[in-house]
Amino acid sequence: MERFPRRLRVTGWADLRVWAAAAALVVFAFAAGASGLGGWNQGRGKTPPAAPPAPVAVPFAPGERLEYAASWNGTVTAATFKLAVVERRDFFGRMAWHFQAQAKTIDPVRMIFTLDDQFDSYTDAITLESRQYEAYIREQSKHDDLVVPMSVKPDASRGNAHVYLVLAGTQDPLGLMYRLRAQDWKKEPTLRLPVFDGKKFYEVEATRESSGAALAVAGGNFVVTRVALKVSQGGQEVANLKVRISFSEDAARVPVLFEAEAPFGTVRAELTAK
């Protein structure tokens, strides 16, 4: 059982260094997979158990890797980001997706500010709710680890770990990216979700702004749907933060471009490889 860290050094919107400080750039890593159902005894007088609910259909699969390059205020590439669907696995008795994001500054920015951060999300394969969020911050001389177990009801499977009780549907900052990717934006153009980063709760409203637009990035040419995110806390919109994500309109719904406007400047992260 992981030990819950005593100190939370996460500022606001969940390690906004990758979310707002690098273009919300957070990696979606969906993993799709059919869940196998074990056989049951069909002998006389036996009632077969109810089949477990099916996993939510998602446009990604284990092993998916996406790579991005991020620029700040229109300058040269400042950082690279990798998003991965690591696996679909048992997580304290329930199947969960393991998503991972890695952020790293590169030269010449790295000579000024060294950043090597990693974020992990364990997201329920059936509900796409967050089960656990982890952040491993390595920035200059600062090393901070954060582990945030979550549950919508008391969870005895976690033993003595500190488990946060959250609202149904709650996402973590990384898992949110995958939840947005699973959305059918043509059928449902608006989505509202609670988000918890281990320190604060947020409300995120995602709205389809446009669809059918052609977009060329280093990773290829795409037709995309553009989605705008509005982040609120306590009913008040977070000031000076605008985030837009462009998703490919093919079956994979890959996040092709992240754009963020924050107090420190404008960040753009585009897909370079998949």
Side-chain angles (χ1 to χ4, degrees):
M1 182 65 63
E2 297 91 346
R3 183 168 62 88
F4 192 78
R6 295 181 180 178
R7 236 175 120 206
L8 303 183
R9 294 214 29 140
V10 179
T11 48
W13 176 231
D15 306 307
L16 231 37
R17 302 178 228 213
V18 178
W19 232 94
L25 293 233
V26 256
V27 179
F28 293 111
F30 280 138
S35 70
L37 302 180
W40 56 71
N41 187 335
Q42 297 186 14
R44 186 179 302 174
K46 301 277 187 175
T47 301
V56 173
V58 293
F60 44 81
E64 180 187 79
R65 297 284 189 273
L66 302 174
E67 298 182 10
Y68 299 82
S71 60
W72 175 61
N73 285 346
T75 60
V76 296
T77 300
T80 59
F81 297 86
K82 296 181 180 180
L83 301 178
V85 180
V86 179
E87 60 184 344
R88 184 176 180 271
R89 52 161 282 193
D90 178 85
F91 190 77
F92 293 101
R94 290 179 62 90
M95 294 306 295
W97 294 116
H98 177 192
F99 305 132
Q100 187 175 88
Q102 295 177 322
K104 179 179 181 178
T105 50
I106 61 176
D107 290 335
V109 174
R110 191 172 182 84
M111 293 187 291
I112 303 171
F113 187 80
T114 302
L115 179 150
D116 292 288
D117 292 346
Q118 178 175 309
F119 306 87
D120 291 84
S121 171
Y122 295 89
T123 296
D124 195 284
I126 297 201
T127 64
L128 292 186
E129 298 169 327
S130 180
R131 302 288 311 285
Q132 184 159 294
Y133 173 62
E134 302 174 4
Y136 303 97
I137 307 300
R138 303 292 184 266
E139 298 173 3
Q140 301 294 74
S141 61
K142 181 176 68 177
H143 288 194
D144 287 326
D145 295 342
L146 171 70
V147 178
V148 186
M150 303 181 216
S151 179
V152 297
K153 58 184 178 181
D155 187 354
S157 70
R158 303 295 186 99
N160 295 324
H162 182 106
V163 178
Y164 286 95
L165 294 181
V166 296
L167 296 172
T170 295
Q171 311 289 311
D172 61 62
L174 176 56
L176 170 65
M177 295 296 99
Y178 293 96
R179 176 63 185 88
L180 294 176
R181 188 173 163 190
Q183 181 80 352
D184 186 338
W185 295 103
K186 292 182 178 179
K187 292 183 178 179
E188 299 179 75
T190 300
L191 178 65
R192 296 179 179 85
L193 293 167
V195 177
F196 183 52
D197 67 4
K199 188 174 182 180
K200 296 181 180 181
F201 285 93
Y202 297 86
E203 303 84 41
V204 173
E205 179 179 326
T207 304
R208 184 189 68 201
E209 279 192 338
S210 64
S211 59
L215 178 62
V217 296
N221 298 318
F222 300 87
V223 175
V224 300
T225 292
R226 190 184 191 193
V227 175
L229 306 187
K230 182 173 74 173
V231 182
S232 301
Q233 184 182 20
Q236 297 294 319
E237 184 176 358
V238 176
N240 302 317
L241 176 62
K242 295 181 180 180
V243 179
R244 290 178 173 83
I245 307 171
S246 295
F247 297 97
S248 64
E249 293 187 1
D250 54 17
R253 298 181 200 161
V254 171
V256 173
L257 176 66
F258 295 90
E259 300 168 282
E261 296 177 22
F264 57 81
T266 300
V267 179
R268 173 189 169 95
E270 67 176 54
L271 180 71
T272 57
K274 63 176 182 174

